[in-house]
Amino acid sequence: FFFLRIRRPPRSTQSRSSAASDVYKRQEYMGAKKHQLFHLILIELILPVMDGYDAAESIRELEQVFKCPKNYIVALTSDNSKKAEKKCLSVGFDEFVVKPLKAQKLCELVEKRLADLGIDYAT
């Protein structure tokens, strides 16, 4: 999974990979980036090495250990059951999104998060 750090709104001339974020792999976050606040973290629940549930729990533990501000973590899954949503929220996810994640929904998540942080930007 990847962490998305919002820097500025995307511009149409930029590629998707560099539009509004720096991307860090989980291992980098768990190592050198321990004190870094990410504005929005999207985590797929089904992962080969560590599933999304364990990843979210690890992030929440690091926040407590290092007394970091709480990151905003969004679960991505194809399972739209209430049981899956309840489990996600219980392990520390802030939001539950059923795939496929459409561009409009991603924009809404980013806009909501930026508004929560008090960050104003031109659309």
Side-chain angles (χ1 to χ4, degrees):
F1 61 89
F2 296 95
F3 296 93
L4 189 64
R5 182 161 189 205
I6 306 304
R7 293 207 182 234
R8 62 181 178 272
R11 296 182 186 169
S12 59
T13 58
Q14 293 177 315
S15 70
R16 286 185 184 184
S17 62
S18 65
S21 67
D22 291 333
V23 179
Y24 296 93
K25 292 182 181 173
R26 180 191 171 279
Q27 291 81 6
E28 292 170 341
Y29 178 80
M30 296 303 185
K33 305 289 182 193
K34 289 180 183 168
H35 301 286
Q36 181 105 25
L37 170 67
F38 293 89
H39 299 310
L40 181 64
I41 301 172
L42 305 173
I43 301 179
E44 167 64 51
L45 293 182
I46 308 301
L47 298 169
V49 177
M50 174 187 278
D51 68 25
Y53 300 108
D54 292 336
E57 287 178 329
S58 295
I59 292 167
R60 294 298 182 222
E61 288 173 16
L62 284 173
E63 290 168 348
Q64 291 177 350
V65 168
F66 294 102
K67 297 176 177 47
C68 295
K70 185 178 177 196
N71 293 286
Y72 194 81
I73 307 173
V74 178
L76 296 176
T77 182
S78 57
D79 183 356
N80 64 354
S81 70
K82 290 292 181 189
K83 182 179 177 183
E85 182 176 5
K86 185 177 178 181
K87 183 175 180 182
C88 286
L89 298 175
S90 72
V91 299
F93 284 97
D94 296 295
E95 192 146 348
F96 179 83
V97 176
V98 178
K99 296 187 302 184
L101 177 61
K102 300 192 188 263
Q104 180 63 36
K105 179 63 176 175
L106 180 59
C107 288
E108 289 171 9
L109 286 170
V110 171
E111 288 173 2
K112 177 183 172 189
R113 183 60 183 146
L114 291 176
D116 291 347
L117 293 170
I119 299 172
D120 187 28
Y121 68 98
T123 55

